[in-house]
Amino acid sequence: MTTFRLIRHGLKVREIGDVPLTEAGLAQARLAAGALRERKIAAIVSSPLLRARETAVPLARETGRSAVVDDRLRERANWGDVPGQTFAEFVAVWERCTREPDYIPPSGDSARQAARRMTSALTDWASRYPPGVEIVFVTHGGLITDFLSCAFSEQELENVCPGFAARQSELIPECSITDIGYDGGCFRLGKFADTGHLRQDG
């Protein structure tokens, strides 16, 4: 089985466009990297958006692997892709996409299209290495939940996270780690949105 560690990027600057991480986000990225320091990571694959690429930097440093960009890991949509769009308008479109998986927004992908991109990336990267390796994807909360919603039944998701469908947009904290196993064409959901590595209370 191939194990994927899906990491959401760290806390980003709250501005329009392709924004960087905040100082807190950079600290989160370092903690996530530290949590994977002893793992035998075969590859680190990042979304092309700046917040994800910056999150991948300490992971690459800690594991000795160069981070590779894969466009399939970009978010479903990004505020600023539609000229003149206010944040409130972006949120309204985002929420509609979540409610209606086949709705295609003015810019970006439907939730189902995004899930297919993620599925393609997972199966592709799994095929590049022998079974038993671990691969890190640095990506986005929306893309992770889009994938989970399409790859697993509602009951499976309710078992790991009650109220998943209703709370989907708030379930993946920054720099949380979700584990996905891939074996023989089948996905298995392991640790979900874990943030234990981000606690600094000793």
Side-chain angles (χ1 to χ4, degrees):
M1 182 172 68
T2 302
T3 299
F4 287 90
R5 313 288 184 190
L6 308 183
I7 302 179
R8 183 187 176 185
H9 60 80
L11 188 67
K12 65 179 181 178
V13 172
R14 287 184 62 83
E15 294 178 1
I16 193 169
D18 189 9
V19 296
L21 298 181
T22 63
E23 287 300 319
L26 292 168
Q28 290 173 331
R30 290 191 292 269
L31 290 170
L36 297 178
R37 181 184 299 124
E38 304 302 324
R39 310 300 305 183
K40 293 184 178 179
I41 305 298
I44 298 171
V45 190
S46 172
S47 158
L49 294 177
L50 180 58
R51 55 191 182 270
R53 290 187 285 113
E54 288 188 343
T55 302
V57 169
L59 284 161
R61 185 168 56 243
E62 291 286 1
T63 61
R65 298 286 182 187
S66 298
V68 178
V69 168
D70 189 324
D71 285 346
R72 291 172 293 186
L73 300 191
R74 70 186 185 278
E75 185 58 289
R76 179 205 300 166
N78 197 53
W79 182 34
D81 290 346
V82 177
Q85 185 182 53
T86 67
F87 184 66
E89 290 169 338
F90 172 75
V91 169
V93 171
W94 181 272
E95 291 177 348
R96 181 178 176 184
C97 286
T98 301
R99 291 191 310 269
E100 304 172 30
D102 291 307
Y103 170 69
I104 300 175
S107 179
D109 294 328
S110 70
R112 202 175 306 280
Q113 288 172 328
R116 288 180 184 138
R117 274 198 281 109
M118 178 66 121
T119 301
S120 171
L122 289 163
T123 56
D124 178 24
W125 282 93
S127 73
R128 303 185 190 195
Y129 297 92
V133 304
E134 298 182 22
I135 298 172
V136 175
F137 276 9
V138 186
T139 182
H140 305 269
L143 185 62
I144 293 171
T145 53
D146 286 343
F147 164 73
L148 295 176
S149 294
C150 290
F152 299 96
S153 70
E154 184 176 338
Q155 188 57 57
E156 287 176 299
L157 296 174
E158 286 291 318
N159 289 341
V160 297
C161 182
F164 182 95
R167 301 168 52 217
Q168 181 174 331
S169 294
E170 60 187 52
L171 293 178
I172 309 290
E174 287 87 357
C175 274
S176 62
I177 302 176
T178 296
D179 291 346
I180 298 292
Y182 180 75
D183 186 20
C186 296
F187 293 108
R188 300 176 187 175
L189 178 57
K191 182 172 59 178
F192 174 74
D194 181 65
T195 57
H197 53 282
L198 300 180
R199 303 188 191 107
Q200 301 185 66
D201 52 12

